[in-house]
Amino acid sequence: MTDPRSTYNIQTAVLSFEEELERLKIQAGMGWFKEFRNLSWYGLKNGMRVLEVGSGPGYITEQLLNSLPGSEITSLEIDCTLQAQAKERLKDVSSERLQFVESSIYQMDLPDNSFDFVVARLIFLHLNNPIEAAQEIYRVLKPGGRLAIIDVDDGVFGAVNPDIPALHTVLMKIAGYVAQHGGNRLIGRSLPRLLSESGYIDVDIDAVVQHSDIIGIEGFKQQFNLQRFVHFVEKGIISPEEFAQLQRAFEAINHSPEAYAMMNFITACGTKPL
């Protein structure tokens, strides 16, 4: 099952299926402590009924289960291949605590006013119609319930050492290409307006900063995996000279003790009025 209004499909990802799963696993774990701290500050509490949308292979689902031992978690994913991965890994979790739903985020097979909190991590950047998705999430939230979106904005991606002079240009070129296909890698800056236009109140925005000197360099090696950029060179989106700069940075991140990296995730939250 696929949704034509989402730009992400693991079957067509630039990495192999197994490599992409590994990238997603590392990405989910590298900043979870701070992400959960932000979610808790926005009101996520143990014992709530929680919906995770765009749950993929279930790596964040697992983090939620471990962090909220008294909560019921519903995991919604459009891709049955990814959901099969999650079901296999989490097969020992009680069905009273975890429910899987295969459904479009635009028309969820879930009742109105059902959840206290919804987590949407790295899914809105892939959606062709994010307002429609936010409004559908609004429908299933209880009055007073909250939607927290964790996503990217490549305009404020972060920083690396040694510096890549062309990094901002490369990211903007890739963002332009993704926009032509219906996604938005600059969505972080739009989240407050997106939430307000979808009916949410008490909207707030923050950033989760991940730094390799604190959480280790391994996760950043995956982010700068050169195979993620070869596709864009082949399509003429980025130049061979720009790719050469990425290669030098990749080598430094993998081998130089002087290398470090910092990356920003944007978190925004809104509340369904009582």
Side-chain angles (χ1 to χ4, degrees):
M1 184 178 182
T2 59
D3 192 323
R5 291 184 291 172
S6 171
T7 63
Y8 183 80
N9 183 345
I10 195 169
Q11 305 297 343
T12 58
V14 294
L15 300 179
S16 71
F17 182 80
E18 293 302 327
E19 287 176 321
E20 181 68 356
L21 283 180
E22 182 64 17
R23 184 185 74 83
L24 294 173
K25 179 180 179 180
I26 292 172
Q27 181 192 75
M30 61 192 288
W32 176 249
F33 172 78
K34 293 181 77 172
E35 288 181 31
F36 184 69
R37 186 175 69 186
N38 261 34
L39 292 172
S40 299
W41 189 78
Y42 281 133
L44 178 62
K45 297 178 182 178
N46 192 31
M48 285 182 163
R49 285 199 71 199
V50 179
L51 171 64
E52 181 198 2
V53 293
S55 52
Y59 298 124
I60 292 296
T61 312
E62 187 172 13
Q63 299 281 12
L64 288 167
L65 288 164
N66 292 336
S67 300
L68 302 167
S71 288
E72 297 177 18
I73 310 295
T74 297
S75 173
L76 183 142
E77 172 57 36
I78 186 65
D79 188 325
C80 57
T81 303
L82 288 174
Q83 192 166 84
Q85 292 281 330
K87 287 180 177 179
E88 177 60 27
R89 287 184 32 263
L90 301 173
K91 61 185 177 183
D92 295 330
V93 179
S94 167
S95 61
E96 295 180 357
R97 285 206 60 210
L98 176 61
Q99 291 80 42
F100 290 100
V101 176
E102 183 185 339
S103 176
S104 168
I105 193 173
Y106 300 110
Q107 190 172 2
M108 296 185 284
D109 187 18
L110 295 167
D112 296 352
N113 306 317
S114 301
F115 296 95
D116 301 295
F117 205 98
V118 177
V119 177
R121 185 181 187 273
L122 299 182
I123 180 172
F124 270 79
L125 80 156
H126 298 299
L127 300 178
N128 290 2
N129 195 331
I131 287 183
E132 184 180 347
Q135 291 170 337
E136 175 66 353
I137 292 170
Y138 184 100
R139 179 185 69 80
V140 303
L141 273 171
K142 297 176 182 177
R146 294 178 176 177
L147 163 62
I149 302 173
I150 303 170
D151 229 304
V152 301
D153 190 313
D154 281 351
V156 289
F157 167 82
V160 294
N161 182 56
D163 186 38
I164 308 173
L167 181 59
H168 181 75
T169 300
V170 167
L171 293 175
M172 291 303 99
K173 287 181 176 181
I174 293 174
Y177 174 81
V178 170
Q180 291 174 7
H181 292 78
N184 184 0
R185 292 199 61 87
L186 306 177
I187 196 166
R189 66 192 66 183
S190 304
L191 292 177
R193 186 168 298 183
L194 166 69
L195 288 167
S196 295
E197 290 179 353
S198 302
Y200 295 84
I201 62 171
D202 299 330
V203 173
D204 196 12
I205 188 168
D206 207 339
V208 174
V209 182
Q210 301 175 358
H211 198 292
S212 61
D213 284 358
I214 297 173
I215 62 175
I217 199 74
E218 288 303 315
F220 295 93
K221 291 179 181 179
Q222 288 289 333
Q223 299 306 311
F224 285 93
N225 185 325
L226 290 177
Q227 289 304 311
R228 299 186 68 199
F229 299 97
V230 169
H231 171 75
F232 298 107
V233 178
E234 293 173 344
K235 286 187 168 293
I237 307 300
I238 62 178
S239 71
E241 293 78 15
E242 291 165 337
F243 184 71
Q245 289 189 31
L246 295 172
Q247 284 180 303
R248 289 192 290 273
F250 179 74
E251 289 300 317
I253 288 172
N254 277 271
H255 302 296
S256 171
E258 302 301 319
Y260 60 78
M262 183 178 74
M263 185 166 61
N264 299 315
F265 282 137
I266 308 300
T267 306
C269 185
T271 303
K272 181 176 179 176
L274 292 170

